Amino acid sequence: MVNTLHYMTTPRRPEPPGGTIAPTPADALNGLLMVTSLLEADQRRFHVEHGMTAARVHLLWQVGLTGPTSQRTIADALGVTPRAVTGLVDGLVESGHVTREPHPVDRRATLVTLTQAGADFVADLQESHAGLAADLFGDVQDERLAAFVDLLGETAERIHRLMKEAR
Amino acid sequence: MVNTLHYMTTPRRPEPPGGTIAPTPADALNGLLMVTSLLEADQRRFHVEHGMTAARVHLLWQVGLTGPTSQRTIADALGVTPRAVTGLVDGLVESGHVTREPHPVDRRATLVTLTQAGADFVADLQESHAGLAADLFGDVQDERLAAFVDLLGETAERIHRLMKEAR
DNA sequence: TATTGTTATACTCTATAACTATA
DNA sequence: TATAGTTATAGAGTATAACAATA
């Protein structure tokens, strides 16, 4: 059975007096969870600063990727119920980040559409995402970075496989 | 300014016909976010299966680490208000995972204490955490794993520094 | 005075179920 | 019949503010 908890980070063992010790699998998972936890904390700070919530930013990001989108499609993309999308869109309409436009051919549907403010916000988001990547990994040697990305990719595949087996 | 969003994972660029291309900093951040996202999905599934919520499991994990603990201390450890802890403990008392015991010297305080069921749950948690680490990284070569852990550690330090500078 | 934990109140996100308007 | 989006209702987590008991 697969499972993890991001706060399950346990302290790194101390370095022994004479040199380093080989890291264990637990050290790797803990390192991953530690970085994750820090990224999450930073993300929360960003949301508070911008008077936003994670769910609303997620929706804006999605609509930024796909363009004007029906609420049903957004619900599927975000993995929540259509009812939840109604609430998120209500909030974002009120804050001026999106509008509800009529669907050109299906009169049941509405197309959630970014306003200029919404588009500006998404652009800021994309820019700072790129900036963070550069800050964190911009001066890491090509070979080290390649090895890192490779192992991350393998890890993602393993998690995928474990989750499939558990199902 | 630092910020990230876990769903901000963008698709990996396709491999060129003749060999591989060097990964960019964005690839590294996206890989990290992809793994994080998968770990989170797995975590949600675990919680649902066990009729638990993330916040309550976090509290149990914390009390498992520190032993019987006052709600005030738990609030600080979890980064929430004392009021929020009252609600979490209420739920965990009802589900039989913890009890509220009187503090031996401070009659204002209560000590949140694991029941046998609570202790069993935490033990399961620790076990599956170790199992996941083994599943994901158990057969990765020592040198690869060491390089991975090193870069994760450096990344954590960088995020720390960036967050400090932003404050 | 300060601290611990509570009640009171409110907001966000989420879910299920029933309903309306369309397809 | 099926689908898009809504209203109705409910539960979890979080927060601030006011309050009681205790330090």
Side-chain angles (χ1 to χ4, degrees):
Chain A
M1 175 183 41
V2 200
N3 66 79
T4 69
L5 293 168
H6 287 163
Y7 44 79
M8 279 183 133
T9 312
T10 43
R12 185 81 171 80
R13 290 157 303 138
E15 288 288 324
T20 55
I21 49 178
T24 64
D27 291 329
L29 182 54
N30 283 330
L32 208 43
L33 297 182
M34 179 61 80
V35 168
T36 287
S37 180
L38 288 167
L39 288 175
E40 277 175 359
D42 183 49
Q43 181 181 335
R44 270 193 299 278
R45 200 179 56 86
F46 177 81
H47 291 157
V48 170
E49 270 177 13
H50 290 73
M52 272 286 186
T53 65
R56 289 178 192 181
V57 175
H58 192 169
L59 191 153
L60 288 178
W61 177 260
Q62 182 62 33
V63 175
L65 286 179
T66 54
T69 310
S70 75
Q71 295 187 188
R72 173 74 226 189
T73 303
I74 293 172
D76 291 339
L78 268 54
V80 299
T81 60
R83 178 60 185 92
V85 174
T86 298
L88 297 176
V89 172
D90 285 351
L92 287 166
V93 166
E94 197 181 336
S95 64
H97 291 91
V98 304
T99 58
R100 276 191 247 244
E101 303 296 333
H103 191 288
V105 301
D106 188 338
R107 287 196 299 172
R108 297 171 304 177
T110 66
L111 290 179
V112 178
T113 306
L114 294 181
T115 62
Q116 188 60 50
D120 289 348
F121 182 84
V122 172
D124 279 355
L125 219 51
Q126 291 170 329
E127 206 173 304
S128 53
H129 184 249
L132 179 63
D135 285 344
L136 293 182
F137 301 110
D139 59 0
V140 175
Q141 283 182 329
D142 278 1
E143 284 174 24
R144 286 190 79 201
L145 200 65
F148 185 69
V149 171
D150 280 351
L151 191 44
L152 282 174
E154 288 175 29
T155 303
E157 277 175 28
R158 274 177 209 239
I159 300 173
H160 244 121
R161 182 150 31 82
L162 289 169
M163 290 182 75
K164 258 188 196 160
E165 287 172 10
R167 224 182 334 103
Chain B
M1 175 180 45
V2 199
N3 66 78
T4 70
L5 293 168
H6 287 164
Y7 43 79
M8 278 181 136
T9 312
T10 44
R12 186 80 170 78
R13 291 157 302 139
E15 289 287 325
T20 56
I21 50 178
T24 63
D27 292 328
L29 183 54
N30 282 330
L32 210 43
L33 297 182
M34 179 60 80
V35 169
T36 288
S37 182
L38 288 167
L39 289 175
E40 277 175 359
D42 184 50
Q43 180 181 335
R44 271 193 300 277
R45 201 177 58 86
F46 177 82
H47 292 156
V48 170
E49 270 177 13
H50 289 73
M52 273 285 187
T53 64
R56 288 178 193 182
V57 175
H58 192 169
L59 191 152
L60 288 179
W61 177 260
Q62 182 62 34
V63 175
L65 285 179
T66 54
T69 311
S70 76
Q71 296 189 187
R72 173 74 224 187
T73 303
I74 293 172
D76 292 340
L78 268 54
V80 299
T81 60
R83 177 62 185 89
V85 174
T86 298
L88 296 176
V89 172
D90 286 350
L92 287 166
V93 167
E94 197 180 336
S95 64
H97 291 91
V98 304
T99 57
R100 277 189 248 243
E101 303 296 333
H103 192 288
V105 301
D106 187 340
R107 288 195 298 169
R108 297 171 303 178
T110 66
L111 289 180
V112 178
T113 307
L114 294 183
T115 62
Q116 188 59 51
D120 289 347
F121 182 84
V122 171
D124 278 355
L125 219 50
Q126 290 169 330
E127 207 173 303
S128 53
H129 185 249
L132 179 62
D135 285 343
L136 294 183
F137 301 110
D139 59 0
V140 175
Q141 284 183 327
D142 277 4
E143 284 174 23
R144 284 190 82 200
L145 199 65
F148 186 69
V149 171
D150 279 351
L151 191 44
L152 282 174
E154 288 174 29
T155 303
E157 277 174 27
R158 273 176 211 238
I159 300 172
H160 244 120
R161 183 150 30 83
L162 288 169
M163 289 181 77
K164 258 188 193 158
E165 286 172 12
R167 226 183 328 105

